[in-house]
Amino acid sequence: MNIINLLSFSEQQIGRKIFDDVWKIKNGTEITPNLLQAMAYSGSYLSGAFIGSKCVGAAFAFPATTGGLHLHSHMTAVLDEYRNQGIGYELKMDQWNWAKKNNYREITWTFDPLVARNAKLNLVKLGVDISSYHPNFYGDMPDMLNAGDESDRVMASWKVGGEQPVAKSVITNPDKSDTLIKIPEDIVAIRSKNISENLKWRHKVRDEFMQVIEKGGKVVGFSANNEYVVRI
């Protein structure tokens, strides 16, 4: 597998197709060609993961200034049939190295706190911190993956420094004083079959996160039982 920066207008459309294949929008697109061209030309990051000549994943990030200059990673997507092969991890590592080369000290992005595979990738393999929780951050989302749900997101903060990022271990023995926020094994499967059950999980996790954050809690890791481990 090779990670290639998508620089030309025609190359950018390869990345766009990945985003639209993963987040399907009826008669729409995740990002228009002219906006992507403007942002790529102006210094944004856009890359594709290739197996042979086939692009199977893509990532897009842009410069941001909230809290100081950093890189904000807006979309990282892998085609369904290529999931669980480490492709998302390789895209993130390429992004980290690109950010380091371009003198960024931090990368941020949002992810759905209910999606266990993303929590494991971000908190364990990449070693990110969670800086904040945002209820319904994007409002109603039109894509088929998120339709009917509320778009709660946590903000990930990934420091850029040293030779490489430092992974964290899954927490097997949380402290007795830790707050454990349980999430399901596969919320996407639940959402596709029972949106009411999905929303029960959504509101439960939201309430637990907001309560512990108000008390000064900080996410210190992810447990072997699909739980965020929060420590005050």
Side-chain angles (χ1 to χ4, degrees):
M1 182 182 64
N2 293 313
I3 308 295
I4 300 173
N5 291 128
L6 305 176
L7 302 176
S8 70
F9 185 84
S10 60
E11 289 172 336
Q12 293 164 25
Q13 308 322 302
I14 297 171
R16 282 188 63 244
K17 187 176 188 307
I18 295 293
F19 300 141
D20 288 343
D21 284 348
V22 171
W23 295 291
K24 294 179 175 64
I25 301 175
K26 188 175 181 180
N27 301 320
T29 181
E30 280 293 314
I31 184 168
T32 59
N34 60 325
L35 179 58
L36 187 58
Q37 161 70 348
M39 297 192 75
Y41 181 82
S42 301
S44 295
Y45 168 93
L46 179 65
S47 68
F50 288 80
I51 296 178
S53 61
K54 181 179 177 61
C55 186
V56 299
F60 169 56
F62 50 81
T65 59
T66 302
L69 181 65
H70 63 280
L71 190 68
H72 185 75
S73 180
H74 183 51
M75 292 185 286
T76 301
V78 177
L79 297 178
D80 284 346
E81 59 268 34
Y82 292 92
R83 287 190 180 278
N84 302 315
Q85 298 181 33
I87 295 169
Y89 173 79
E90 293 298 333
L91 282 165
K92 283 296 186 187
M93 290 300 297
D94 183 79
Q95 195 173 86
W96 190 91
N97 286 312
W98 186 92
K100 183 178 179 181
K101 181 180 177 181
N102 287 276
N103 299 315
Y104 289 98
R105 296 183 178 180
E106 180 186 21
I107 305 172
T108 64
W109 63 89
T110 64
F111 68 93
D112 186 341
L114 293 185
V115 180
R117 65 171 180 261
N118 287 348
K120 292 172 185 175
L121 169 64
N122 293 328
L123 292 171
V124 179
K125 290 191 71 175
L126 300 178
V128 308
D129 294 318
I130 289 178
S131 59
S132 53
Y133 187 99
H134 302 271
N136 209 22
F137 186 67
Y138 296 111
D140 294 336
M141 301 182 72
D143 63 275
M144 294 175 62
L145 188 62
N146 293 288
D149 197 3
E150 297 173 11
S151 59
D152 288 32
R153 296 293 184 267
V154 290
M155 187 70 70
S157 171
W158 201 21
K159 300 304 180 185
V160 179
E163 292 300 316
Q164 61 182 7
V166 178
K168 298 177 182 177
S169 299
V170 171
I171 296 176
T172 55
N173 294 298
D175 292 347
K176 291 182 179 179
S177 60
D178 290 339
T179 298
L180 305 178
I181 302 177
K182 176 78 173 178
I183 63 172
E185 179 66 33
D186 191 346
I187 192 62
V188 176
I190 293 173
R191 186 185 301 150
S192 67
K193 297 174 183 176
N194 189 334
I195 194 65
S196 295
E197 181 66 17
N198 174 97
L199 289 172
K200 287 180 182 177
W201 276 106
R202 175 70 65 205
H203 296 150
K204 169 188 172 295
V205 170
R206 177 192 295 172
D207 291 345
E208 292 177 1
F209 252 110
M210 298 301 288
Q211 288 174 16
V212 74
I213 286 175
E214 285 179 2
K215 296 176 182 176
K218 177 179 173 57
V219 177
V220 295
F222 200 68
S223 83
N225 298 314
N226 282 341
E227 299 157 325
Y228 292 94
V229 181
V230 188
R231 191 165 295 162
I232 298 175

